[in-house]
Amino acid sequence: MITAIVLIHAAADSIPETAQAIADIEGVAEVYSCAGDVDLIAIVRVKAHQDLADLIPTRISKVPGVLDTDTHIAFRSYSRADTESAFEIGIDDN
């Protein structure tokens, strides 16, 4: 599974509608509205890189209200559970 983080600049007057339209696209796992340099962040999960090549420019970028996108492909996922379990290796509770 390939995960990509898509930073989206959107028209200010249509952010909620734009976010919902993006969230309704197959392959988009989550969409967050946020403060800062971008208006929306979409988490995309697809099976192949070609799926990203189809999804971002032909679907997400075409949603009314989307002005620009910047896509970042994730290499590895880290979570608190992963970090905590790494520190437990070799610890004997006896």
Short mmCIF file of all heavy atoms in Angstrom, two decimals, residues 2-56:
data_model
loop_
_atom_site.label_atom_id
_atom_site.label_comp_id
_atom_site.label_asym_id
_atom_site.label_seq_id
_atom_site.Cartn_x
_atom_site.Cartn_y
_atom_site.Cartn_z
N ILE A 2 0.58 2.18 -0.85
CA ILE A 2 1.32 3.44 -0.94
C ILE A 2 0.50 4.53 -0.27
O ILE A 2 -0.69 4.67 -0.55
CB ILE A 2 1.59 3.80 -2.41
CG1 ILE A 2 2.48 2.72 -3.04
CG2 ILE A 2 2.23 5.18 -2.53
CD1 ILE A 2 2.54 2.79 -4.54
N THR A 3 1.14 5.27 0.61
CA THR A 3 0.49 6.39 1.28
C THR A 3 1.12 7.68 0.77
O THR A 3 2.34 7.79 0.69
CB THR A 3 0.66 6.31 2.80
OG1 THR A 3 0.06 5.09 3.27
CG2 THR A 3 0.01 7.49 3.50
N ALA A 4 0.26 8.63 0.44
CA ALA A 4 0.74 9.94 0.03
C ALA A 4 0.00 11.00 0.84
O ALA A 4 -1.16 10.82 1.20
CB ALA A 4 0.50 10.16 -1.46
N ILE A 5 0.71 12.07 1.12
CA ILE A 5 0.13 13.23 1.81
C ILE A 5 0.03 14.32 0.76
O ILE A 5 1.04 14.70 0.16
CB ILE A 5 1.01 13.68 3.00
CG1 ILE A 5 1.08 12.56 4.05
CG2 ILE A 5 0.47 14.94 3.63
CD1 ILE A 5 2.22 11.63 3.89
N VAL A 6 -1.19 14.80 0.54
CA VAL A 6 -1.41 15.81 -0.50
C VAL A 6 -1.77 17.12 0.19
O VAL A 6 -2.78 17.21 0.89
CB VAL A 6 -2.53 15.39 -1.47
CG1 VAL A 6 -2.67 16.41 -2.59
CG2 VAL A 6 -2.25 14.00 -2.05
N LEU A 7 -0.90 18.12 0.02
CA LEU A 7 -1.14 19.45 0.56
C LEU A 7 -1.93 20.22 -0.49
O LEU A 7 -1.53 20.26 -1.66
CB LEU A 7 0.18 20.14 0.86
CG LEU A 7 1.17 19.34 1.72
CD1 LEU A 7 2.46 20.11 1.87
CD2 LEU A 7 0.58 18.99 3.06
N ILE A 8 -3.04 20.82 -0.08
CA ILE A 8 -3.96 21.42 -1.04
C ILE A 8 -4.24 22.87 -0.69
O ILE A 8 -4.63 23.18 0.45
CB ILE A 8 -5.29 20.63 -1.06
CG1 ILE A 8 -5.02 19.17 -1.41
CG2 ILE A 8 -6.29 21.27 -2.03
CD1 ILE A 8 -6.17 18.23 -1.11
N HIS A 9 -4.06 23.75 -1.67
CA HIS A 9 -4.50 25.13 -1.56
C HIS A 9 -5.89 25.18 -2.17
O HIS A 9 -6.10 24.67 -3.28
CB HIS A 9 -3.56 26.08 -2.30
CG HIS A 9 -2.23 26.20 -1.63
ND1 HIS A 9 -1.14 25.48 -2.03
CD2 HIS A 9 -1.84 26.95 -0.59
CE1 HIS A 9 -0.11 25.78 -1.26
NE2 HIS A 9 -0.52 26.67 -0.36
N ALA A 10 -6.84 25.77 -1.44
CA ALA A 10 -8.22 25.80 -1.89
C ALA A 10 -8.77 27.21 -1.81
O ALA A 10 -8.28 28.04 -1.04
CB ALA A 10 -9.06 24.86 -1.04
N ALA A 11 -9.81 27.46 -2.59
CA ALA A 11 -10.50 28.75 -2.52
C ALA A 11 -11.13 28.87 -1.14
O ALA A 11 -11.83 27.96 -0.68
CB ALA A 11 -11.57 28.82 -3.60
N ALA A 12 -10.87 29.98 -0.47
CA ALA A 12 -11.30 30.16 0.92
C ALA A 12 -12.80 30.05 1.11
O ALA A 12 -13.26 29.53 2.14
CB ALA A 12 -10.81 31.51 1.45
N ASP A 13 -13.57 30.45 0.13
CA ASP A 13 -15.03 30.45 0.30
C ASP A 13 -15.67 29.09 0.05
O ASP A 13 -16.87 28.93 0.20
CB ASP A 13 -15.67 31.50 -0.60
CG ASP A 13 -15.41 31.27 -2.08
OD1 ASP A 13 -14.47 30.51 -2.41
OD2 ASP A 13 -16.14 31.86 -2.89
N SER A 14 -14.86 28.08 -0.32
CA SER A 14 -15.43 26.76 -0.59
C SER A 14 -14.68 25.62 0.09
O SER A 14 -14.79 24.47 -0.34
CB SER A 14 -15.49 26.52 -2.10
OG SER A 14 -14.17 26.47 -2.63
N ILE A 15 -13.95 25.92 1.14
CA ILE A 15 -13.13 24.88 1.79
C ILE A 15 -13.96 23.69 2.27
O ILE A 15 -13.60 22.55 1.99
CB ILE A 15 -12.25 25.48 2.90
CG1 ILE A 15 -11.13 26.31 2.25
CG2 ILE A 15 -11.66 24.38 3.80
CD1 ILE A 15 -10.26 27.06 3.23
N PRO A 16 -15.08 23.88 2.99
CA PRO A 16 -15.83 22.70 3.46
C PRO A 16 -16.33 21.82 2.30
O PRO A 16 -16.21 20.59 2.36
CB PRO A 16 -16.99 23.30 4.25
CG PRO A 16 -16.53 24.65 4.65
CD PRO A 16 -15.65 25.12 3.53
N GLU A 17 -16.87 22.44 1.26
CA GLU A 17 -17.38 21.68 0.12
C GLU A 17 -16.26 20.99 -0.65
O GLU A 17 -16.39 19.84 -1.08
CB GLU A 17 -18.16 22.60 -0.84
CG GLU A 17 -19.39 23.22 -0.23
CD GLU A 17 -19.11 24.51 0.56
OE1 GLU A 17 -17.95 25.00 0.59
OE2 GLU A 17 -20.06 25.02 1.17
N THR A 18 -15.15 21.69 -0.78
CA THR A 18 -13.98 21.12 -1.47
C THR A 18 -13.44 19.94 -0.69
O THR A 18 -13.15 18.88 -1.26
CB THR A 18 -12.89 22.20 -1.66
OG1 THR A 18 -13.44 23.28 -2.41
CG2 THR A 18 -11.67 21.64 -2.37
N ALA A 19 -13.34 20.09 0.61
CA ALA A 19 -12.83 19.00 1.47
C ALA A 19 -13.73 17.78 1.38
O ALA A 19 -13.23 16.65 1.26
CB ALA A 19 -12.73 19.48 2.91
N GLN A 20 -15.03 17.97 1.41
CA GLN A 20 -15.95 16.83 1.35
C GLN A 20 -15.89 16.15 -0.01
O GLN A 20 -15.90 14.92 -0.10
CB GLN A 20 -17.39 17.26 1.65
CG GLN A 20 -18.34 16.09 1.79
CD GLN A 20 -17.92 15.13 2.89
OE1 GLN A 20 -17.82 15.51 4.05
NE2 GLN A 20 -17.67 13.87 2.54
N ALA A 21 -15.79 16.93 -1.08
CA ALA A 21 -15.69 16.34 -2.42
C ALA A 21 -14.42 15.51 -2.56
O ALA A 21 -14.43 14.43 -3.15
CB ALA A 21 -15.74 17.44 -3.48
N ILE A 22 -13.33 15.98 -1.98
CA ILE A 22 -12.07 15.23 -2.01
C ILE A 22 -12.20 13.97 -1.16
O ILE A 22 -11.78 12.88 -1.57
CB ILE A 22 -10.89 16.10 -1.53
CG1 ILE A 22 -10.65 17.24 -2.53
CG2 ILE A 22 -9.62 15.26 -1.36
CD1 ILE A 22 -9.72 18.32 -2.02
N ALA A 23 -12.81 14.09 0.00
CA ALA A 23 -12.98 12.93 0.90
C ALA A 23 -13.82 11.83 0.25
O ALA A 23 -13.66 10.65 0.57
CB ALA A 23 -13.61 13.37 2.21
N ASP A 24 -14.71 12.20 -0.67
CA ASP A 24 -15.59 11.24 -1.33
C ASP A 24 -14.90 10.48 -2.47
O ASP A 24 -15.47 9.54 -3.01
CB ASP A 24 -16.83 11.95 -1.87
CG ASP A 24 -17.75 12.44 -0.76
OD1 ASP A 24 -17.65 11.94 0.38
OD2 ASP A 24 -18.58 13.33 -1.05
N ILE A 25 -13.68 10.86 -2.81
CA ILE A 25 -12.95 10.20 -3.90
C ILE A 25 -12.36 8.89 -3.39
O ILE A 25 -11.71 8.85 -2.34
CB ILE A 25 -11.84 11.13 -4.44
CG1 ILE A 25 -12.45 12.38 -5.07
CG2 ILE A 25 -10.95 10.38 -5.44
CD1 ILE A 25 -11.43 13.44 -5.45
N GLU A 26 -12.55 7.82 -4.16
CA GLU A 26 -11.98 6.53 -3.80
C GLU A 26 -10.46 6.62 -3.76
O GLU A 26 -9.84 7.18 -4.67
CB GLU A 26 -12.39 5.46 -4.80
CG GLU A 26 -11.93 4.07 -4.41
CD GLU A 26 -12.44 3.00 -5.37
OE1 GLU A 26 -13.37 3.28 -6.14
OE2 GLU A 26 -11.89 1.90 -5.32
N GLY A 27 -9.86 6.13 -2.69
CA GLY A 27 -8.42 6.20 -2.49
C GLY A 27 -8.02 7.27 -1.49
O GLY A 27 -6.92 7.24 -0.96
N VAL A 28 -8.93 8.20 -1.22
CA VAL A 28 -8.66 9.23 -0.22
C VAL A 28 -9.16 8.71 1.12
O VAL A 28 -10.34 8.42 1.30
CB VAL A 28 -9.36 10.57 -0.58
CG1 VAL A 28 -9.15 11.59 0.53
CG2 VAL A 28 -8.83 11.09 -1.91
N ALA A 29 -8.23 8.56 2.07
CA ALA A 29 -8.58 8.01 3.38
C ALA A 29 -9.13 9.08 4.32
O ALA A 29 -10.08 8.83 5.07
CB ALA A 29 -7.36 7.35 4.01
N GLU A 30 -8.51 10.26 4.31
CA GLU A 30 -8.89 11.34 5.23
C GLU A 30 -8.57 12.67 4.60
O GLU A 30 -7.64 12.77 3.80
CB GLU A 30 -8.11 11.23 6.54
CG GLU A 30 -8.27 9.92 7.27
CD GLU A 30 -7.21 9.73 8.34
OE1 GLU A 30 -7.43 10.19 9.46
OE2 GLU A 30 -6.16 9.15 8.01
N VAL A 31 -9.32 13.70 5.00
CA VAL A 31 -9.03 15.07 4.60
C VAL A 31 -9.13 15.94 5.84
O VAL A 31 -10.09 15.84 6.60
CB VAL A 31 -10.01 15.59 3.52
CG1 VAL A 31 -9.69 17.04 3.17
CG2 VAL A 31 -9.95 14.71 2.28
N TYR A 32 -8.13 16.77 6.07
CA TYR A 32 -8.10 17.67 7.22
C TYR A 32 -8.07 19.11 6.73
O TYR A 32 -7.31 19.44 5.83
CB TYR A 32 -6.83 17.44 8.06
CG TYR A 32 -6.73 16.05 8.64
CD1 TYR A 32 -6.03 15.06 7.96
CD2 TYR A 32 -7.33 15.75 9.85
CE1 TYR A 32 -5.93 13.78 8.49
CE2 TYR A 32 -7.23 14.47 10.39
CZ TYR A 32 -6.53 13.49 9.70
OH TYR A 32 -6.44 12.23 10.22
N SER A 33 -8.90 19.96 7.32
CA SER A 33 -8.73 21.40 7.10
C SER A 33 -7.75 21.87 8.16
O SER A 33 -7.73 21.34 9.27
CB SER A 33 -10.07 22.13 7.20
OG SER A 33 -10.62 22.01 8.48
N CYS A 34 -6.92 22.82 7.81
CA CYS A 34 -5.89 23.22 8.75
C CYS A 34 -5.50 24.69 8.56
O CYS A 34 -5.80 25.30 7.55
CB CYS A 34 -4.67 22.32 8.62
SG CYS A 34 -4.04 22.17 6.96
N ALA A 35 -4.83 25.21 9.56
CA ALA A 35 -4.27 26.56 9.50
C ALA A 35 -2.84 26.44 9.03
O ALA A 35 -2.20 25.40 9.17
CB ALA A 35 -4.32 27.20 10.89
N GLY A 36 -2.33 27.49 8.45
CA GLY A 36 -0.94 27.49 8.01
C GLY A 36 -0.83 27.73 6.54
O GLY A 36 -1.69 28.38 5.93
N ASP A 37 0.19 27.19 5.94
CA ASP A 37 0.50 27.45 4.53
C ASP A 37 -0.47 26.78 3.56
O ASP A 37 -0.54 27.17 2.39
CB ASP A 37 1.92 27.00 4.20
CG ASP A 37 2.96 27.84 4.91
OD1 ASP A 37 2.65 28.98 5.28
OD2 ASP A 37 4.08 27.34 5.10
N VAL A 38 -1.14 25.73 3.99
CA VAL A 38 -2.09 25.03 3.12
C VAL A 38 -3.47 25.03 3.78
O VAL A 38 -3.59 25.20 4.99
CB VAL A 38 -1.65 23.59 2.79
CG1 VAL A 38 -0.35 23.59 2.02
CG2 VAL A 38 -1.54 22.75 4.03
N ASP A 39 -4.47 24.81 2.97
CA ASP A 39 -5.85 24.82 3.48
C ASP A 39 -6.35 23.44 3.86
O ASP A 39 -7.09 23.28 4.83
CB ASP A 39 -6.78 25.43 2.42
CG ASP A 39 -6.34 26.82 2.02
OD1 ASP A 39 -6.27 27.68 2.92
OD2 ASP A 39 -6.04 27.03 0.83
N LEU A 40 -5.96 22.44 3.07
CA LEU A 40 -6.40 21.07 3.30
C LEU A 40 -5.22 20.11 3.18
O LEU A 40 -4.30 20.35 2.40
CB LEU A 40 -7.46 20.66 2.26
CG LEU A 40 -8.72 21.50 2.20
CD1 LEU A 40 -9.54 21.14 0.96
CD2 LEU A 40 -9.55 21.31 3.47
N ILE A 41 -5.29 19.03 3.93
CA ILE A 41 -4.32 17.94 3.80
C ILE A 41 -5.12 16.66 3.60
O ILE A 41 -5.97 16.32 4.41
CB ILE A 41 -3.41 17.82 5.03
CG1 ILE A 41 -2.58 19.09 5.20
CG2 ILE A 41 -2.52 16.58 4.91
CD1 ILE A 41 -1.73 19.13 6.45
N ALA A 42 -4.83 15.98 2.49
CA ALA A 42 -5.50 14.71 2.21
C ALA A 42 -4.50 13.57 2.38
O ALA A 42 -3.35 13.66 1.93
CB ALA A 42 -6.04 14.71 0.78
N ILE A 43 -4.95 12.52 3.03
CA ILE A 43 -4.16 11.29 3.15
C ILE A 43 -4.72 10.33 2.12
O ILE A 43 -5.91 9.99 2.15
CB ILE A 43 -4.27 10.68 4.56
CG1 ILE A 43 -3.93 11.71 5.65
CG2 ILE A 43 -3.40 9.43 4.67
CD1 ILE A 43 -2.56 12.32 5.56
N VAL A 44 -3.86 9.92 1.20
CA VAL A 44 -4.27 9.05 0.10
C VAL A 44 -3.57 7.71 0.26
O VAL A 44 -2.38 7.65 0.55
CB VAL A 44 -3.87 9.70 -1.26
CG1 VAL A 44 -4.15 8.75 -2.41
CG2 VAL A 44 -4.60 11.02 -1.43
N ARG A 45 -4.33 6.63 0.08
CA ARG A 45 -3.76 5.28 0.15
C ARG A 45 -4.20 4.51 -1.09
O ARG A 45 -5.40 4.33 -1.32
CB ARG A 45 -4.20 4.58 1.42
CG ARG A 45 -3.61 5.22 2.66
CD ARG A 45 -3.78 4.37 3.91
NE ARG A 45 -3.12 5.01 5.03
CZ ARG A 45 -3.70 5.88 5.86
NH1 ARG A 45 -4.96 6.19 5.71
NH2 ARG A 45 -3.02 6.42 6.86
N VAL A 46 -3.22 4.08 -1.87
CA VAL A 46 -3.48 3.36 -3.11
C VAL A 46 -2.54 2.17 -3.22
O VAL A 46 -1.55 2.08 -2.49
CB VAL A 46 -3.33 4.29 -4.35
CG1 VAL A 46 -4.39 5.37 -4.35
CG2 VAL A 46 -1.94 4.89 -4.41
N LYS A 47 -2.83 1.28 -4.18
CA LYS A 47 -2.02 0.07 -4.33
C LYS A 47 -0.75 0.29 -5.15
O LYS A 47 0.24 -0.40 -4.94
CB LYS A 47 -2.85 -1.03 -4.96
CG LYS A 47 -3.94 -1.53 -4.04
CD LYS A 47 -4.69 -2.68 -4.64
CE LYS A 47 -5.77 -3.12 -3.66
NZ LYS A 47 -6.45 -4.32 -4.10
N ALA A 48 -0.78 1.22 -6.10
CA ALA A 48 0.37 1.38 -7.00
C ALA A 48 0.64 2.85 -7.28
O ALA A 48 -0.27 3.68 -7.20
CB ALA A 48 0.11 0.64 -8.30
N HIS A 49 1.88 3.15 -7.65
CA HIS A 49 2.25 4.52 -7.99
C HIS A 49 1.41 5.04 -9.15
O HIS A 49 1.06 6.22 -9.19
CB HIS A 49 3.74 4.61 -8.32
CG HIS A 49 4.60 4.57 -7.10
ND1 HIS A 49 5.20 3.42 -6.67
CD2 HIS A 49 4.93 5.53 -6.21
CE1 HIS A 49 5.88 3.68 -5.56
NE2 HIS A 49 5.73 4.95 -5.26
N GLN A 50 1.08 4.18 -10.09
CA GLN A 50 0.25 4.60 -11.22
C GLN A 50 -1.11 5.09 -10.74
O GLN A 50 -1.68 6.02 -11.33
CB GLN A 50 0.07 3.45 -12.22
CG GLN A 50 -0.70 3.85 -13.46
CD GLN A 50 -0.05 4.99 -14.23
OE1 GLN A 50 1.16 5.04 -14.38
NE2 GLN A 50 -0.86 5.91 -14.71
N ASP A 51 -1.62 4.51 -9.66
CA ASP A 51 -2.90 4.97 -9.10
C ASP A 51 -2.78 6.41 -8.62
O ASP A 51 -3.72 7.20 -8.77
CB ASP A 51 -3.34 4.07 -7.95
CG ASP A 51 -3.61 2.64 -8.40
OD1 ASP A 51 -3.99 2.45 -9.57
OD2 ASP A 51 -3.43 1.72 -7.57
N LEU A 52 -1.63 6.76 -8.04
CA LEU A 52 -1.40 8.15 -7.63
C LEU A 52 -1.35 9.07 -8.85
O LEU A 52 -1.92 10.16 -8.83
CB LEU A 52 -0.07 8.29 -6.88
CG LEU A 52 -0.02 7.85 -5.44
CD1 LEU A 52 1.40 8.03 -4.90
CD2 LEU A 52 -1.01 8.61 -4.60
N ALA A 53 -0.69 8.60 -9.89
CA ALA A 53 -0.56 9.40 -11.10
C ALA A 53 -1.92 9.68 -11.72
O ALA A 53 -2.12 10.70 -12.37
CB ALA A 53 0.35 8.69 -12.10
N ASP A 54 -2.87 8.77 -11.52
CA ASP A 54 -4.24 8.98 -12.03
C ASP A 54 -5.08 9.79 -11.05
O ASP A 54 -5.82 10.68 -11.45
CB ASP A 54 -4.92 7.63 -12.28
CG ASP A 54 -4.25 6.84 -13.39
OD1 ASP A 54 -3.65 7.46 -14.29
OD2 ASP A 54 -4.35 5.60 -13.36
N LEU A 55 -4.94 9.51 -9.77
CA LEU A 55 -5.81 10.10 -8.75
C LEU A 55 -5.55 11.59 -8.52
O LEU A 55 -6.50 12.39 -8.49
CB LEU A 55 -5.63 9.34 -7.44
CG LEU A 55 -6.47 9.80 -6.25
CD1 LEU A 55 -7.93 9.47 -6.48
CD2 LEU A 55 -5.97 9.16 -4.98
N ILE A 56 -4.31 11.98 -8.38
CA ILE A 56 -4.01 13.37 -8.00
C ILE A 56 -4.36 14.35 -9.14
O ILE A 56 -5.19 15.23 -8.95
CB ILE A 56 -2.54 13.53 -7.56
CG1 ILE A 56 -2.14 12.50 -6.53
CG2 ILE A 56 -2.28 14.97 -7.09
CD1 ILE A 56 -2.66 12.61 -5.16
#
